[in-house]
Amino acid sequence: MTPSSPSNRSKEEVVAEFRRQSLLDAACKVFGEKGFDAATMDAIAEAAGVAKGTIYLYYPSKQVVYEAVFAAGMTTIEDQLTDQIAKAATAREAIGAFVRVRGEYFEQHPEFFRVYVGEVARQLIGLSTTRDASRVATDRQIKVLQHVIEKAVGTGEVRAVDPAAAALVVFDLSKGQIGRRLLHGSTTTVESDIAFLTDLIWSGLQPARGITP
Amino acid sequence: MTPSSPSNRSKEEVVAEFRRQSLLDAACKVFGEKGFDAATMDAIAEAAGVAKGTIYLYYPSKQVVYEAVFAAGMTTIEDQLTDQIAKAATAREAIGAFVRVRGEYFEQHPEFFRVYVGEVARQLIGLSTTRDASRVATDRQIKVLQHVIEKAVGTGEVRAVDPAAAALVVFDLSKGQIGRRLLHGSTTTVESDIAFLTDLIWSGLQPARGITP
Amino acid sequence: MTPSSPSNRSKEEVVAEFRRQSLLDAACKVFGEKGFDAATMDAIAEAAGVAKGTIYLYYPSKQVVYEAVFAAGMTTIEDQLTDQIAKAATAREAIGAFVRVRGEYFEQHPEFFRVYVGEVARQLIGLSTTRDASRVATDRQIKVLQHVIEKAVGTGEVRAVDPAAAALVVFDLSKGQIGRRLLHGSTTTVESDIAFLTDLIWSGLQPARGITP
Amino acid sequence: MTPSSPSNRSKEEVVAEFRRQSLLDAACKVFGEKGFDAATMDAIAEAAGVAKGTIYLYYPSKQVVYEAVFAAGMTTIEDQLTDQIAKAATAREAIGAFVRVRGEYFEQHPEFFRVYVGEVARQLIGLSTTRDASRVATDRQIKVLQHVIEKAVGTGEVRAVDPAAAALVVFDLSKGQIGRRLLHGSTTTVESDIAFLTDLIWSGLQPARGITP
DNA sequence: AATGAATGAGTGTTCATTCAT
DNA sequence: TATGAATGAACACTCATTCAT
């Protein structure tokens, strides 16, 4: 009703939101290039085009910036995963979608992939205060997949494997493939990688005929 | 006839070798706990029970200590892998051996697993000077496996997959499983993990009957 | 019309300039007391009344601080030399001015004299990266004098000596005298030292009558 | 009467003396090349072909080694100076001998010259514990010359200058000339330098006719 | 809100000195 | 006597964080 007030509010909020996002983008770039330890607040500030002190108006510490970068990326992936898996008609398509969404996202955001890998390492080492947050994020992605497999086991589409374990398998293979692409450079297309993986996984999940004696 | 001379020599060499190994152990512990950047030479020295300067009598820099830790672990694993795979009668057993050796080694040396994961992350980020050395080490492990699969494809024991790609799959699954055990704590036995993985992989590699249309 | 903007600018610049000069003064004191190697950044910071890190906001390294100290002193001396020699009516007065300016400056800035001597030593030993910069500075001072003598030789005011060599003689005597004052403490006045030196040099340069056979 | 005892004694003493001299030579080389601070006991030990600890059997500290190097060189020069000046028939020859001995010695022992210059700098800075020892050594050299001039003033060979001040002048010019040779490389012969200096000094010391009003 | 100058704790590395052999 | 492994204090330089403007 008081148009000025909401508009003012909005403007400030919009500006603030824009700042936060700029900082996140800049931070993702720097963390991806240098790793957590070697990344400096100066570098992030410069990349974001603000003064160093400004970062502290939006995030209380380097650690928290890092966590925010990680959370933002993970959320985006999760949203896309949920979307695409919902559209899949069969379990096989769902698995394919899982592999594809992750493969494509990381392909398009290699800096974030580096942040992601670094964070996983930090978790294993036990340095990450993000530990829980990040595990939750990862777990949610896996849960989506697990659900799909569970249903497929129910319908007999795949043989009676442990859905959780199978989901992890898909997850590991997806991760390994992406890492290799970044590390070695890509000699194959994302598509062919996806096809290979999906095929192999699917074979492994097939109701076997006398395979295990 | 001059027993003192050879014995002195030997003694010094033994002491030196012992020191080097103590330092490596201490360094592995600290690097595993803190990561490369956060690990301090002071902490390593304290863990080894020597003064900081002493480390520099055996290694010229922190970087080199780190590389030595990594190389030592990788070499040990590689030796065990070669041994065990040589003893395998069938491709399936060879794959099982691969998964088992790595699983057991890392289970028994969780600090080294953390170093290992950290190093892989450093490589992806491009910080590692070890890059080549470490990739070579990893590649050698994978090559061993690739060889096995190649032969199995030749004999028709497994279907006609790309042996290199298949080897990487085994590698990724092995790594993912180990990481999860460390991260989440183990709710299952190593044995059951190994069985599950080997089984799944084996199914995936089986000569399929009409699986892919 | 926006007095704040220019005044702010100016104020910042003034503060920065003041800081730089404070640091230079403090550094000169510490380098003079301890020599380059034994001087610590901590000591310089303390002498300047700032934190250690602050020095690095103004100078990128200890080496550069040192060079700046040296250059600043040499520049000041050179300016005074040029001034005073320009005012001299005769060659004798010019030589007197040379000896006097250096004598008085170093008398008033004994810390800088110590830096100066230390730097010359560093150059002889080949440690100085300042080498060229400092030699150039010294050479410029000598050139001023050499010019004066050249002209005096031309007018017959002094006998036909090599002007360059004669300039170096004046320079060496000036330096030796200053060093001795600092080292031994002064039992004579600067004035009397200057008079003695000028007199001696002048005698040596006089058109001789049958002195050298 | 017990030939073995004295011979043993002697042998030990000879060996010890030899060691001390080797150490001094090695130390002079290293100090000359690196300067006091940058010279390491390791480098000296290596240059002398002994273990680091051995140095401490002969000298209690780096500082003392340095002082010993300095003292040894100064003593040698002093001996030569005394010899050559004793042989001089006239004051002029004596001055020439002074300039020559120093010029030639330093020309042949450039490392020692660097030590010498470094030590003088250290003295001015006040770091040298050698201070007194070294000043005494220098003073003794100057005294020799001063004596000569005193006598020459007495006989009327030179005009009535202060002998001490005149000796210092000779000393300074000698030092300056040597330094320049080392720093710039030599474009002139030692002989011509000596001739120039001796000549100039001699002119300056000549009984003047109406030079100073 | 935004800045960036100032801070000072922290780290890898060196090296004179010691001492058990 | 000679050795050289071990020590640990010292130091240049970095950078996350603060705070006056």
Side-chain angles (χ1 to χ4, degrees):
Chain A
M1 288 294 150
T2 45
S4 69
S5 173
S7 108
N8 281 343
R9 267 261 182 146
S10 280
K11 199 196 293 176
E12 278 158 19
E13 276 172 9
V14 167
V15 169
E17 197 45 49
F18 174 77
R19 246 316 121 84
R20 295 182 76 88
Q21 193 55 51
S22 303
L23 287 174
L24 242 36
D25 291 344
C28 185
K29 189 163 173 295
V30 175
F31 282 131
E33 278 167 8
K34 308 282 184 180
F36 179 80
D37 290 287
T40 67
M41 294 301 263
D42 263 315
I44 295 171
E46 193 187 330
V50 299
K52 194 166 31 167
T54 303
I55 301 176
Y56 287 88
L57 297 175
Y58 295 90
Y59 299 96
S61 73
K62 184 182 177 183
Q63 182 63 231
V64 171
V65 175
Y66 183 74
E67 288 167 16
V69 167
F70 186 76
M74 290 304 270
T75 302
T76 305
I77 293 176
E78 194 188 345
D79 291 347
Q80 292 187 14
L81 273 184
T82 312
D83 265 19
Q84 295 300 312
I85 286 181
K87 288 180 189 163
T90 66
R92 180 169 191 173
E93 275 177 32
I95 291 173
F98 186 91
V99 176
R100 170 174 296 107
V101 164
R102 288 172 43 95
E104 284 175 357
Y105 185 84
F106 284 131
E107 181 87 5
Q108 285 154 25
H109 302 86
E111 318 85 26
F112 180 68
F113 182 68
R114 288 200 276 264
V115 170
Y116 172 73
V117 170
E119 174 57 18
V120 171
R122 287 175 67 81
Q123 281 175 40
L124 282 175
I125 291 169
L127 293 178
S128 177
T129 53
T130 329
R131 193 163 204 159
D132 295 326
S134 135
R135 265 185 55 189
V136 166
T138 302
D139 284 355
R140 264 200 313 258
Q141 293 189 10
I142 292 171
K143 279 277 156 50
V144 172
L145 191 63
Q146 186 178 331
H147 245 46
V148 169
I149 295 173
E150 241 164 299
K151 271 195 283 188
V153 170
T155 64
E157 216 181 337
V158 306
R159 65 188 171 102
V161 294
D162 172 0
L168 290 173
V169 162
V170 176
F171 184 79
D172 287 341
L173 292 177
S174 161
K175 190 169 126 196
Q177 168 232 354
I178 294 158
R180 232 167 286 113
R181 290 191 74 80
L182 278 164
L183 189 51
H184 297 190
S186 336
T187 56
T188 56
T189 64
V190 183
E191 274 310 310
S192 71
D193 278 13
I194 292 167
F196 174 80
L197 271 196
T198 310
D199 202 52
L200 188 92
I201 294 164
W202 193 245
S203 309
L205 295 178
Q206 274 300 298
R209 265 164 286 178
I211 284 172
T212 38
Chain B
M1 285 295 150
T2 48
S4 67
S5 175
S7 102
N8 281 342
R9 266 267 179 144
S10 281
K11 198 196 292 175
E12 278 157 21
E13 276 170 12
V14 166
V15 168
E17 197 44 50
F18 174 76
R19 229 345 99 86
R20 292 184 78 87
Q21 194 55 52
S22 304
L23 287 173
L24 239 38
D25 291 344
C28 186
K29 188 164 173 294
V30 175
F31 282 131
E33 276 166 9
K34 307 283 184 178
F36 179 80
D37 289 287
T40 68
M41 294 301 264
D42 264 317
I44 294 172
E46 193 186 328
V50 299
K52 190 162 40 164
T54 302
I55 302 176
Y56 287 88
L57 296 177
Y58 295 89
Y59 299 96
S61 71
K62 183 183 178 183
Q63 182 63 230
V64 171
V65 175
Y66 180 74
E67 286 168 16
V69 166
F70 187 75
M74 290 304 269
T75 300
T76 304
I77 293 177
E78 195 188 343
D79 290 348
Q80 293 187 12
L81 273 184
T82 311
D83 265 19
Q84 295 300 312
I85 285 182
K87 289 181 188 161
T90 67
R92 179 165 193 176
E93 274 176 33
I95 291 172
F98 187 91
V99 176
R100 169 174 297 106
V101 164
R102 289 172 42 95
E104 284 175 357
Y105 185 84
F106 285 131
E107 181 85 6
Q108 285 153 25
H109 303 87
E111 320 83 25
F112 181 67
F113 183 68
R114 288 200 275 263
V115 170
Y116 172 74
V117 170
E119 174 57 19
V120 171
R122 285 175 68 81
Q123 281 176 40
L124 282 175
I125 292 168
L127 295 177
S128 178
T129 52
T130 328
R131 193 163 206 159
D132 295 324
S134 135
R135 264 186 56 188
V136 166
T138 303
D139 284 355
R140 263 202 312 257
Q141 294 189 9
I142 293 172
K143 279 277 154 52
V144 171
L145 190 63
Q146 187 177 329
H147 243 47
V148 168
I149 296 175
E150 244 164 286
K151 271 195 283 188
V153 169
T155 65
E157 217 182 335
V158 305
R159 64 186 171 103
V161 292
D162 173 0
L168 291 173
V169 162
V170 177
F171 185 79
D172 288 342
L173 292 177
S174 161
K175 192 170 123 193
Q177 169 231 355
I178 295 158
R180 230 167 288 113
R181 291 191 74 79
L182 278 164
L183 191 52
H184 296 190
S186 336
T187 56
T188 56
T189 64
V190 183
E191 273 310 311
S192 71
D193 278 12
I194 292 167
F196 174 79
L197 270 196
T198 310
D199 202 51
L200 187 91
I201 294 164
W202 192 245
S203 308
L205 294 178
Q206 272 301 297
R209 263 166 287 177
I211 283 172
T212 36
Chain C
M1 284 296 150
T2 47
S4 68
S5 176
S7 103
N8 281 344
R9 265 268 179 143
S10 282
K11 199 196 293 176
E12 279 157 21
E13 276 170 11
V14 166
V15 168
E17 196 45 50
F18 174 76
R19 229 346 96 90
R20 292 184 77 88
Q21 194 56 52
S22 303
L23 287 172
L24 240 38
D25 292 343
C28 187
K29 189 163 173 293
V30 175
F31 283 131
E33 277 166 8
K34 308 283 184 181
F36 179 80
D37 290 287
T40 69
M41 293 301 263
D42 265 316
I44 294 172
E46 193 185 329
V50 299
K52 188 165 39 169
T54 303
I55 302 176
Y56 288 89
L57 296 177
Y58 296 89
Y59 299 96
S61 70
K62 183 183 178 181
Q63 181 63 229
V64 172
V65 175
Y66 180 74
E67 287 168 16
V69 166
F70 187 76
M74 290 304 269
T75 301
T76 305
I77 293 177
E78 195 188 344
D79 290 348
Q80 293 187 12
L81 273 184
T82 311
D83 264 20
Q84 294 302 311
I85 285 180
K87 288 180 189 164
T90 66
R92 179 167 192 175
E93 274 178 34
I95 291 171
F98 187 91
V99 176
R100 170 174 296 107
V101 164
R102 288 172 43 96
E104 284 176 358
Y105 185 84
F106 285 131
E107 181 86 5
Q108 285 153 26
H109 302 87
E111 320 83 26
F112 181 68
F113 183 67
R114 288 200 275 264
V115 170
Y116 172 74
V117 170
E119 174 57 19
V120 171
R122 286 175 68 81
Q123 282 177 39
L124 283 175
I125 292 168
L127 295 177
S128 176
T129 53
T130 328
R131 194 166 205 156
D132 294 325
S134 134
R135 264 186 56 188
V136 165
T138 303
D139 284 353
R140 263 203 311 258
Q141 294 189 9
I142 293 173
K143 277 278 155 47
V144 171
L145 190 63
Q146 186 178 332
H147 242 48
V148 168
I149 296 175
E150 241 163 297
K151 270 194 284 189
V153 169
T155 64
E157 218 182 334
V158 306
R159 64 189 172 103
V161 293
D162 173 0
L168 291 172
V169 163
V170 177
F171 184 79
D172 287 342
L173 293 177
S174 161
K175 192 169 124 195
Q177 169 232 355
I178 295 158
R180 231 166 289 115
R181 291 190 74 80
L182 278 164
L183 191 52
H184 297 189
S186 338
T187 55
T188 55
T189 65
V190 182
E191 273 310 311
S192 71
D193 278 13
I194 292 166
F196 174 79
L197 269 196
T198 310
D199 201 51
L200 188 91
I201 294 163
W202 192 246
S203 307
L205 294 178
Q206 272 302 294
R209 263 165 288 176
I211 283 172
T212 37
Chain D
M1 287 300 149
T2 44
S4 67
S5 175
S7 105
N8 282 343
R9 266 262 180 146
S10 281
K11 200 196 291 175
E12 279 158 18
E13 275 171 10
V14 167
V15 169
E17 196 45 48
F18 175 75
R19 245 319 119 83
R20 294 182 77 87
Q21 194 56 50
S22 302
L23 288 173
L24 242 36
D25 291 344
C28 185
K29 191 164 171 293
V30 175
F31 283 130
E33 278 167 8
K34 309 282 184 182
F36 180 80
D37 290 286
T40 67
M41 293 301 262
D42 264 315
I44 294 171
E46 193 187 330
V50 300
K52 195 165 32 165
T54 303
I55 302 176
Y56 286 87
L57 297 175
Y58 295 90
Y59 298 97
S61 73
K62 184 183 178 182
Q63 182 62 230
V64 171
V65 175
Y66 183 74
E67 288 168 15
V69 167
F70 185 75
M74 291 303 270
T75 301
T76 305
I77 293 177
E78 195 188 345
D79 291 348
Q80 294 187 12
L81 273 183
T82 311
D83 264 18
Q84 295 300 312
I85 286 182
K87 289 180 188 165
T90 65
R92 178 166 194 177
E93 273 178 34
I95 291 172
F98 187 91
V99 175
R100 170 175 297 108
V101 164
R102 287 173 42 95
E104 284 174 356
Y105 185 83
F106 285 131
E107 182 87 3
Q108 285 154 25
H109 302 88
E111 319 84 24
F112 180 68
F113 183 68
R114 288 200 276 264
V115 170
Y116 172 75
V117 170
E119 174 57 18
V120 171
R122 288 175 68 82
Q123 282 176 39
L124 282 175
I125 291 168
L127 292 178
S128 177
T129 53
T130 327
R131 193 165 205 159
D132 295 326
S134 133
R135 263 184 57 188
V136 165
T138 302
D139 284 354
R140 264 202 311 258
Q141 293 189 10
I142 293 172
K143 279 278 155 49
V144 171
L145 191 63
Q146 187 177 332
H147 245 48
V148 168
I149 296 174
E150 241 163 291
K151 271 195 282 186
V153 169
T155 64
E157 217 182 336
V158 307
R159 63 187 173 103
V161 292
D162 172 0
L168 291 172
V169 162
V170 177
F171 184 78
D172 287 342
L173 292 177
S174 161
K175 190 169 127 195
Q177 169 231 355
I178 295 159
R180 233 168 286 116
R181 290 191 74 81
L182 278 165
L183 190 52
H184 296 189
S186 337
T187 56
T188 55
T189 65
V190 182
E191 274 309 309
S192 72
D193 278 14
I194 292 167
F196 175 80
L197 271 195
T198 309
D199 202 52
L200 188 92
I201 294 163
W202 193 245
S203 306
L205 295 178
Q206 272 302 297
R209 264 165 287 176
I211 284 172
T212 36

